Amino acid sequence: MILLINLIPFLIAAIGFGLSWKFKKLWIAAATVAALFLYFQAQPSYMPKGEIARSAPPVFVESEAGIEDRISKPVPGNVRDQRMQDAVKQGLDFKQ
């Protein structure tokens, strides 16, 4: 994309000076120069201006916190079966 933006002035110059040469008109060349001047004045610059200072990375502070296992453990099969049997005995909540 930046390459295409950089090629626009060459395209303007080629078309303008080509038309000026073909029609042998000096005012077309002058209009091309004026158009290029206006283009360079109006085009926003996408390059950084000046020096960019980097911020210092944050200082690493060691922590005294221990490692804690918070991963949920699977429920044993017999406990799961007992829960299922209790749920079947109690019946469904919406059917009373």
Side-chain angles (χ1 to χ4, degrees):
M1 188 64 173
I2 292 175
L3 177 65
L4 294 176
I5 292 173
N6 288 337
L7 291 177
I8 289 174
F10 295 111
L11 182 65
I12 293 171
I15 291 172
F17 291 127
L19 289 173
S20 174
W21 183 267
K22 181 178 179 184
F23 295 119
K24 306 286 190 227
K25 302 285 184 183
L26 190 58
W27 68 270
I28 297 176
T32 302
V33 170
L36 286 172
F37 178 75
L38 287 174
Y39 175 79
F40 285 120
Q41 293 301 317
Q43 178 190 23
S45 177
Y46 48 87
M47 297 299 289
K49 308 255 187 299
E51 201 62 35
I52 299 173
R54 290 189 62 146
S55 59
V59 179
F60 179 74
V61 180
E62 255 189 77
S63 174
E64 297 294 325
I67 297 174
E68 194 176 314
D69 185 14
R70 295 184 181 176
I71 299 175
S72 61
K73 306 290 187 271
V75 180
N78 58 356
V79 174
R80 197 173 9 159
D81 291 342
Q82 184 61 41
R83 284 185 191 164
M84 185 63 105
Q85 288 175 3
D86 292 343
V88 169
K89 286 179 188 174
Q90 289 176 358
L92 299 173
D93 290 338
F94 60 87
K95 190 175 180 184
Q96 291 181 0

